[in-house]
Amino acid sequence: MKLSTWFGCSSWLPQYNREWLASDLVAAVVVTIMLIPQSLAYALLAGLPAEVGLYASMAPLLAYAVFGSSRAMAVGPVAVASLMSAVAAGQFAQGDVALFYQASVVLALIGGAVLIVLGILRAGFVANLLSHPVVGGFVSASALLIAVGQLGSLVGVSAKGETFYQTVIALFNNFSSINATTAAIGVLALVWLWAARKWGKQVLKQIGLKGLALEIVFRAAPVVAIVLSIVAVSVLELNSVRTVGTIPTDLPQLFFPSMELNGWIDLFVPAVLIALVGFVETVSVGHALAAKRKQRIDPNQELLGLGAANIASGVFGGYSVTGGFSRSVVNFDAGAQTPMAGVFTAGGILLATLFLTPLLTNLPHATLAATIIIAVLGLIDWHLPGMLWRYSKRDFAAYLLTVVVVLLAGVEAGIIAGVVFSVLALLAAISKPHMAVVGQVPGTEHFRNEKRHKVSMVDGVVSVRVDESLYFPNARWLEDALLEVAASKPGTKALVLQCNAINHIDASALESLEKIDENLHAMGVTLYLSEVKGPVQDQLASSHWYKSIQSRIGLTHLETVRLAKQNE
Amino acid sequence: MKLSTWFGCSSWLPQYNREWLASDLVAAVVVTIMLIPQSLAYALLAGLPAEVGLYASMAPLLAYAVFGSSRAMAVGPVAVASLMSAVAAGQFAQGDVALFYQASVVLALIGGAVLIVLGILRAGFVANLLSHPVVGGFVSASALLIAVGQLGSLVGVSAKGETFYQTVIALFNNFSSINATTAAIGVLALVWLWAARKWGKQVLKQIGLKGLALEIVFRAAPVVAIVLSIVAVSVLELNSVRTVGTIPTDLPQLFFPSMELNGWIDLFVPAVLIALVGFVETVSVGHALAAKRKQRIDPNQELLGLGAANIASGVFGGYSVTGGFSRSVVNFDAGAQTPMAGVFTAGGILLATLFLTPLLTNLPHATLAATIIIAVLGLIDWHLPGMLWRYSKRDFAAYLLTVVVVLLAGVEAGIIAGVVFSVLALLAAISKPHMAVVGQVPGTEHFRNEKRHKVSMVDGVVSVRVDESLYFPNARWLEDALLEVAASKPGTKALVLQCNAINHIDASALESLEKIDENLHAMGVTLYLSEVKGPVQDQLASSHWYKSIQSRIGLTHLETVRLAKQNE
């Protein structure tokens, strides 16, 4: 690894020019407007003071700019990671507020370190264990969990539960104590945001706005809700409405975790899950945006970039960050050319922290709850379950299991259940490959499945094709299957295994082939192999058994069948 | 499932005849002689009173005879399962002797129930997760652990440790308190058993013995050691030697576990591991013996048989049983035709329990330790590590990890580490399949890897072949890889993916193909598929995306390349 490959910015910083500067500045303005309410809202969702969301929206953007590989990525707090962080820190701190904050920061630090290590080892493939149905189910169920969890804040009652069920029950039980003023603000904000998202662009176009101006005004809809609700609370002196309160205007400080080693160990697994889920979203966004400009991202470089961003977040007292989907798309559409746009966005957030936060004291929680609800409902892919049901029942089962476990037992249990199920289901599929007894298609040199084609068989010679690499999950199946075929066809003298679909034979399968050879021999049947691929044959050559089977391996299947017949 | 398929005995009992009866009776005599010292020794290895080994050698044989499918299988206590049972029960009971016994029996009951459930669900494939290197490493390391663990009993010092290291240390620390008389008996027995195994058959043949008589005398070597050491202790009044003591001559009683639900839950995972390891050994023996007589065993029927045997063992106060390798081979060689031989063996053990046990009071532990050491050293496959090293570094790593973790952290940790490593390594291999840019071999219709063959390319059309099914572990790799190829060849207008080695496309891979299609399109490149297998195309047809790609799927690769060139 060359030094320059550690720094993603080496690919664009040397060519940085005035044209890019202008584009990046404009994009930064749009993203800053979008990011201010989001940082505050997601920090509350993560169970943290609002300013922590701002801290997580400065240093991480600088770190990503240095190490990341995607040009238009916008990192920062996102909904799902905030929920996961809240759950993990809550379970760890058991009600201790100071410890909760420590845990939230440590989650970012561990997650960042893990991502960097994976990046250095070029081991990003572990994120592949999060299959599409599992991620889809997880995000949809988490979004539902988040939306329901925010209903309490929206209408001014306390309704916190670790699971979906508990939250719904708490909501019902406390229904009578709704704060009407809060509810009015919350519902109005919700309707406004929903209408703005649905009709906003249309209306703005009719007014005559277009291009960048349209984009900025459209993205400012949450800002409008925030300003109006602050004004309402301040002017009407709505003291019963729960607000954000005083936000310190301090710059982010260096954070020194005072947690013992055992704490770090306890937080390891949730930190890894948060980091991997974030990585999957980041890479997915990165690929989509890069392709639009015929660029490429390097997933291992993304591990370094996102890892550095999380470390930077933690070092300055922020919490877990991710490359957000909608935010990055906005950044891209607004014209961001390089991660310098992120640097400028961080500057915008810094200015907001210094000068705007005093104005936010009267910002109602209900307004932020409305922005969260609208944001997360957009994350749910309503078509996915139907599509999975039609395409593959196994994938549908993985989706359903993940959704149900997330709702009943929480986010961590859900994602673990989904991954374990997917892996076991994959191993089960590999463990029972498709196998066919094949015969010669008359007049050709081709051998095809006897069940699908009219084929001719050679007396005493059975031909079998296996459509899967031979790995330990199917090694013993192979023993069962081949001995079964030989035993079911009396008079068999030779069995020829056509290996054209076998890309690997691992040590377990080698052992099984040896046993099959031996057991077939005991039954008076000789084993032959045909069409063994080059790399597979090279590996087989390093085994003892190869010496005894070598003379029974044929280049084409037809040749091998003829050889078997001759030797009978 | 028909009722008759539940009972393995339905395949032989109706045809049972006098000839089989004679053969089975003779085999039973040989196996009984072999089984008596083994049952006593393995019970001590499992940390249980000697008579529990006898209990585990009666009812299980009857249950296996009714439900099992292998004709010459001999079930009963074996070394590795005894060690695993001792470790699990020891960790659970924490020194409470009564609880230890309860736990040992409950392990058999749970293990039996799990095997039966797997058999009914026809889910024997889960045992496939125990790859050959993991089982090989596990058995070798366990054998070493057992042998070292028995050294204390062999020389009359106390030396118990949970790990290899602890046991060796304890042995050294207590070295000065060796009991010389015990050590003399132990070492003599060890030398005798070792010499008998090495030269016994040779010497007996020179004396003129052959056939069955030779087999019986040869198998009686441990009995000779036992008789001689009992005589020595009794006649010379060697009171300092630790002996088996009084063994009750009661028949096995029905056992009613008095354990709470939490206990059963705590013992679940070790019970499953013991049962699966036993199942793997049983199936492996069963296949080998069946093939010699051109018979077949059904692995799912073996699950029922071994499950029933374990339940029967537990119900009558015995512990975990397995189809033993050497014991079954002896049973087979001695001529056993059906599991009725096992029924007769159980009768033999019953007679021994009633009439021989009073004679065993003065049997020294050292003699039994010697029989265990000789038996387990035969389990170690000394050639395996070298063979794995040459054949596949990944499989060697799985082997080494299992051995090291078994020795350092114990049997359960070792097997779990091995399985997790194998699964992750397999997923890693699947996640980075072999991929080749292919070109046309001039003068043919074949397309081959451009790196290995002289091939001709079509301007603006890139052909790529992926040698693996598309599953979630490689779905995102596919996105990276195809976009990389397209980006690295400027002027590319079309990318044709040759799908002849793709046996499956799961929902994650489908999603990735859609994204690839979309992202390639954004880059100005059109995606084509060629040679999609029938079942894969059928499944694709149920997706939305199929409608848009349908016209870009070609039957042969050459056709598809021509189509792509036309459409340019």
Side-chain angles (χ1 to χ4, degrees), chain A residues 103-146:
Chain A
S104 305
V105 178
V106 167
L107 283 169
L109 290 172
I110 298 175
V114 168
L115 291 175
I116 288 174
V117 169
L118 290 176
I120 292 171
L121 297 177
R122 312 191 83 70
F125 74 86
V126 296
N128 299 350
L129 294 185
L130 298 170
S131 70
H132 182 60
V134 170
V135 172
F138 176 73
V139 169
S140 296
S142 300
L144 214 58
L145 211 56
I146 293 170

Side-chain angles (χ1 to χ4, degrees), chain A residues 130 287 294 476 480 523, chain B residues 130 287 294 476 480 523:
Chain A
L130 298 170
H287 272 313
K294 302 204 178 199
R476 270 180 281 265
D480 295 344
M523 295 168 74
Chain B
L130 299 169
H287 272 314
K294 301 205 178 198
R476 270 180 282 265
D480 295 345
M523 295 167 75

Side-chain angles (χ1 to χ4, degrees), chain A residues 128 130 132 284 287 294 296 299 391 395 467 473 476 480 483 503 505 507-508 510-511 515 523 539, chain B residues 128 130 132 284 287 294 296 299 387 391 395 467 473 476 480 483 503 505 507-508 510-511 515 523 539:
Chain A
N128 299 350
L130 298 170
H132 182 60
S284 172
H287 272 313
K294 302 204 178 199
R296 298 272 313 125
Y391 188 72
D395 282 304
D467 289 338
R476 270 180 281 265
D480 295 344
L483 294 178
N503 301 311
I505 296 180
S508 300
L510 172 68
E511 162 84 6
K515 276 199 209 156
M523 295 168 74
Q539 198 181 11
Chain B
N128 299 349
L130 299 169
H132 182 59
S284 172
H287 272 314
K294 301 205 178 198
R296 297 273 314 126
M387 171 265 172
Y391 187 72
D395 282 304
D467 289 337
R476 270 180 282 265
D480 295 345
L483 294 178
N503 301 312
I505 296 180
S508 301
L510 173 68
E511 163 84 6
K515 276 199 209 156
M523 295 167 75
Q539 198 182 13

Side-chain angles (χ1 to χ4, degrees), chain A residues 398-417:
Chain A
Y399 171 87
L400 192 66
L401 178 76
T402 309
V403 169
V404 169
V405 178
V406 166
L407 294 182
L408 294 186
V411 284
E412 268 177 43
I415 206 157
I416 289 172

Side-chain angles (χ1 to χ4, degrees), chain B residues 30-117:
Chain B
V30 181
V31 174
T32 304
I33 290 172
M34 186 179 179
L35 195 50
I36 293 171
Q38 281 190 357
S39 339
L40 301 171
Y42 293 150
L44 295 184
L45 175 56
L48 295 164
E51 67 269 20
V52 180
L54 296 170
Y55 300 163
S57 306
M58 290 184 264
L61 282 67
L62 306 184
Y64 184 84
V66 174
F67 295 100
S69 74
S70 169
R71 295 290 177 91
M73 183 70 66
V75 299
V78 304
V80 173
S82 299
L83 171 70
M84 293 178 82
S85 177
V87 170
Q91 274 169 359
F92 180 79
Q94 298 288 342
D96 179 334
V97 175
L99 198 56
F100 185 98
Y101 175 59
Q102 288 266 338
S104 304
V105 179
V106 167
L107 284 168
L109 290 172
I110 298 175
V114 168
L115 291 175
I116 289 175
V117 169

Side-chain angles (χ1 to χ4, degrees), chain B residues 84 87 130 133-135 137-139 141-142 145 273 277 397-422:
Chain B
M84 293 178 82
V87 170
L130 299 169
V134 170
V135 172
F138 176 71
V139 168
S142 300
L145 212 56
L273 289 181
V277 169
Y399 171 87
L400 192 67
L401 178 76
T402 309
V403 169
V404 169
V405 178
V406 166
L407 293 183
L408 294 186
V411 284
E412 267 176 44
I415 206 157
I416 290 172
V419 168
V420 169
F421 178 86
S422 313

Side-chain angles (χ1 to χ4, degrees), chain B residues 3 57 70 74 79 101 125 156 163 181 184 238 249 259 297 311 327 337 370 377 419 456 470 473 490 522 524 532 546:
Chain B
L3 195 65
S57 306
S70 169
Y101 175 59
F125 74 85
T163 66
T181 324
L238 306 174
T249 56
M259 189 175 284
I297 63 160
I311 295 273
R327 198 178 301 158
Q337 296 295 324
L377 289 184
V419 168
S456 68
L470 303 180
V532 180
Y546 187 71

